[in-house]
Amino acid sequence: MSRRTVIVSGGLLEEEFALDILKDEETEFIIGVDSGLIFLYEHGILPDYIVGDFDSAPEEVITYYKEETKVPIREFNPVKDASDTEIALRLCLDLRRQNILILGGTGTRMDHAWANVQSLKIALDTGADARIVDKHNQIRLLDRDFVLKKEEAFGPYFSVFPLDGTVENFSLKGAKYPLDYHALTPFDSLCVSNEIEGDEVEITFPYGIVVLMETRD
């Protein structure tokens, strides 16, 4: 896996958690997105790229990056057909970044959070590993079988939801609540808050796309 690219968006940014990721040696490339720039500015972190319509970032922050740094900036009209986070994700893929974390992709606005989850499909289609993370959640999309190892899991719980309709023959092996060739539908909460029973869980399904959420309190 290539070294990490981090998109810093304008949602919830828990200071210690975000800084641990941004300052980790595995983080190679940072993209600041609109009001996510405020967090980078306040902590003296210079991004490698800036993206957004800047309708929610203070003028002094934008002026600083435009006039006092050489960071490439892609500025967009606020009236556009994609969110700033989606535009940043597409930029990552254009730059052939394959290991992507999105910070600030969750928060008080569930419409923005859900749009960000759906945007992960753009990365999935290219074979990139893109995840949304905050202090309590890690969210990714799967379109093939996956092994979730307890020693690598983000937290003690995991939930699975179909993204684009019923997923037939869905199985969970090694989970506290296993499933065997189940029709996983988008209309119930059956696969919320499961746990890894042994060392790992095998998630298998022949086709479709599911949302995998690894969570902790």
Side-chain angles (χ1 to χ4, degrees), residues 60 108 185 216:
E60 65 181 84
T108 57
T185 76
R216 58 196 183 199

Side-chain angles (χ1 to χ4, degrees), residues 88-214:
L89 182 58
R90 290 185 183 276
L91 172 61
C92 283
L93 300 174
D94 288 344
L95 296 172
R96 301 188 184 280
R97 316 300 299 189
Q98 292 290 299
N99 181 5
I100 304 164
L101 286 186
I102 300 174
L103 291 172
T106 58
T108 57
R109 289 285 300 272
M110 287 304 298
D111 53 346
H112 284 290
W114 185 243
N116 292 335
V117 170
Q118 293 187 120
S119 293
L120 294 176
K121 173 68 163 53
I122 300 165
L124 185 73
D125 287 344
T126 71
D129 177 19
R131 287 163 282 156
I132 298 169
V133 291
D134 62 33
K135 189 175 180 179
H136 299 282
N137 307 278
Q138 177 169 269
I139 306 168
R140 72 177 84 192
L141 300 185
L142 304 176
D143 63 355
R144 66 194 69 187
D145 296 350
F146 185 78
V147 176
L148 179 60
K149 298 182 179 180
K150 179 175 284 189
E151 62 182 14
E152 299 174 359
F154 187 80
Y157 310 106
F158 73 94
S159 300
V160 187
F161 308 95
L163 184 67
D164 62 347
T166 299
V167 176
E168 302 286 352
N169 298 319
F170 180 84
S171 297
L172 294 173
K173 181 181 178 182
K176 183 176 182 179
Y177 306 107
L179 285 175
D180 194 25
Y181 298 103
H182 177 76
L184 186 66
T185 76
F187 312 118
D188 61 51
S189 55
L190 176 68
C191 286
V192 170
S193 197
N194 210 331
E195 298 177 45
I196 303 173
E197 185 80 347
D199 294 329
E200 62 185 31
V201 166
E202 295 180 23
I203 303 171
T204 61
F205 52 102
Y207 63 89
I209 299 173
V210 300
V211 183
L212 172 62
M213 298 186 180
E214 301 169 58

Side-chain angles (χ1 to χ4, degrees), residues 24-91:
D24 187 89
E25 63 180 11
E26 286 301 309
T27 296
E28 179 181 51
F29 200 84
I30 297 171
I31 298 179
V33 180
D34 211 318
S35 60
L37 282 174
I38 301 171
F39 185 88
L40 297 175
Y41 177 79
E42 291 177 343
H43 292 87
I45 298 173
L46 196 66
D48 297 279
Y49 246 103
I50 291 171
V51 168
D53 54 32
F54 310 129
D55 62 349
S56 55
E59 185 176 344
E60 65 181 84
V61 174
I62 303 305
T63 299
Y64 166 77
Y65 284 111
K66 285 182 175 180
E67 297 183 359
E68 299 187 37
T69 77
K70 296 182 179 179
V71 177
I73 297 175
R74 291 194 177 182
E75 186 170 355
F76 296 85
N77 190 311
V79 181
K80 57 189 188 302
D81 294 330
S83 69
D84 292 328
T85 303
E86 179 184 331
I87 291 170
L89 182 58
R90 290 185 183 276
L91 172 61

